[in-house]
Each structure stands twice: as structure tokens, then as C-alpha cells.
Amino acid sequence: IIFLIFFLNAIPSYSNEKIVYLNIEKIMQESIAGKSIITQLKKKRETSISQFKKKEKDIYEKEKKLISQKNILSKEEFENKIKELRKDISDYQKNRGKILNDIAKKRVKASTNLIKKLTPILEEYSKQKSISLIVQKKHIVMGKKEDDITKDILDLVNQRIKSIKID
């Protein structure tokens, strides 16, 4: 029995399973579709920021005007104008938060959409290359460079997915 246990442990086991890894973040950043997403989101964000700056300037001007009229206006009028200014500031902050949140949601939605379009490409590639498991690179401690399929997948994604539209 001891001989049998020793003999079985001495036989090396070889697996026919092929495991590779993929850098999804690189696909998201460097693919044509990923760059399209980044460009569209950047444009939306810049447009929003310019609108925010304009609104901030308007609020600041209202505040300056109100301060200059403090001695001219009656106490009641002045307090009403202050309430109005505070309401404008509150509305601005809510609107800004909503717009930035919407942009973040669009980024997540576009990334999810790209991953959904990436899945059939990965399935086809894994069938062609007899791959049993594809793991994200961020979950790998160490791996051989030849097991990294990121470049191959990036090329396939660039051939098949040209852009992702953002609402």
C-alpha cells in the first residue's frame, strides 16, 4: 500500500486545460471603441463644466449685486433676495450633482455595453484556440507572457467594434 501511494504521487500530472489571461482595462483604454467612449464622455463632461462655470458666475454676480444693494433695500426685501439666492445655489448644487451622476452612469453603461460586445469575440477566440479559461489580468499574481491574449483580443475588437454610442 505504501508503495502504491508513493508510486501515484511520483507520477507527474499534466493537464490539457489551457488557461490564459486578458487585460480588460487595456482593452477599455486602447481599443477604438474604448477611445470612442472616453472621447464622448470627456466632451459631455467639458460641456457640463462650462455650463457649471457660467452658472457659478451668474450666482456670484447676483451675490455681489445683492451685497451692494444691502443698504438700499428694505430689510424684508433683502432677506427675500437672500432666500432666492440660497434657493438658486441649492438648485445649482442639485443640478450639478445630477448631471455628474448621469455622466458616471453613462460611463458604466457604455463600459458594460463594450463588455457585452466583447463576450462573443472571447467565446469565438477561445473555441478557435482551444482555451478552457480566460482570467482577468488583475486577478493574476504571476503568469507567462505567452498566456497573455490581450493584444490578440485588442486587434479583434478593433476590427469588429468601431464605436459605442453614449445616450
Side-chain angles (χ1 to χ4, degrees):
I1 294 178
I2 293 174
F3 176 74
L4 185 61
I5 292 173
F6 179 76
F7 182 73
L8 290 176
N9 284 335
I11 298 173
S13 65
Y14 296 100
S15 174
N16 292 338
E17 303 295 315
K18 187 169 181 185
I19 300 172
V20 295
Y21 61 94
L22 172 69
N23 187 343
I24 298 270
E25 286 78 22
K26 186 173 183 175
I27 302 287
M28 295 292 217
Q29 297 292 321
E30 296 181 15
S31 68
I32 294 170
K35 288 178 181 177
S36 166
I37 291 170
I38 292 168
T39 302
Q40 291 175 67
L41 288 171
K42 186 176 180 182
K43 188 174 180 180
K44 283 189 180 294
R45 191 167 192 279
E46 287 172 353
T47 301
S48 297
I49 287 173
S50 68
Q51 290 172 349
F52 296 152
K53 286 182 179 181
K54 184 176 182 254
K55 184 66 176 171
E56 286 172 6
K57 186 178 177 185
D58 290 346
I59 289 173
Y60 179 72
E61 292 298 322
K62 279 184 179 181
E63 182 184 28
K64 272 177 59 176
K65 184 178 177 184
L66 185 60
I67 290 170
S68 69
Q69 292 178 341
K70 182 178 182 179
N71 295 332
I72 300 170
L73 297 174
S74 69
K75 186 178 180 182
E76 209 173 274
E77 275 184 284
F78 183 71
E79 287 180 13
N80 286 339
K81 296 241 183 204
I82 285 180
K83 284 180 186 177
E84 191 177 301
L85 181 63
R86 287 182 182 153
K87 185 182 182 315
D88 286 350
I89 292 170
S90 176
D91 290 346
Y92 162 74
Q93 289 171 337
K94 287 177 187 173
N95 189 36
R96 181 183 169 117
K98 182 181 176 288
I99 289 172
L100 292 176
N101 192 27
D102 287 346
I103 291 172
K105 284 180 182 177
K106 287 178 182 185
R107 180 181 52 80
V108 169
K109 186 177 178 183
S111 297
T112 303
N113 194 358
L114 180 56
I115 288 172
K116 282 181 184 174
K117 290 184 177 190
L118 177 63
T119 302
I121 294 170
L122 291 173
E123 288 172 355
E124 181 183 325
Y125 184 85
S126 66
K127 284 179 187 172
Q128 288 175 352
K129 303 288 183 176
S130 302
I131 297 170
S132 13
L133 184 65
I134 300 175
V135 182
Q136 283 191 39
K137 186 176 182 178
K138 69 180 180 181
H139 298 296
I140 301 291
V141 176
M142 188 180 346
K144 296 180 192 173
K145 281 199 181 256
E146 56 265 16
D147 290 338
D148 185 356
I149 62 169
T150 304
K151 185 174 180 343
D152 295 341
I153 299 301
L154 184 60
D155 292 341
L156 289 171
V157 168
N158 284 339
Q159 289 172 10
R160 297 184 189 175
I161 309 170
K162 298 299 180 189
S163 69
I164 303 282
K165 294 286 183 195
I166 295 179
D167 307 0

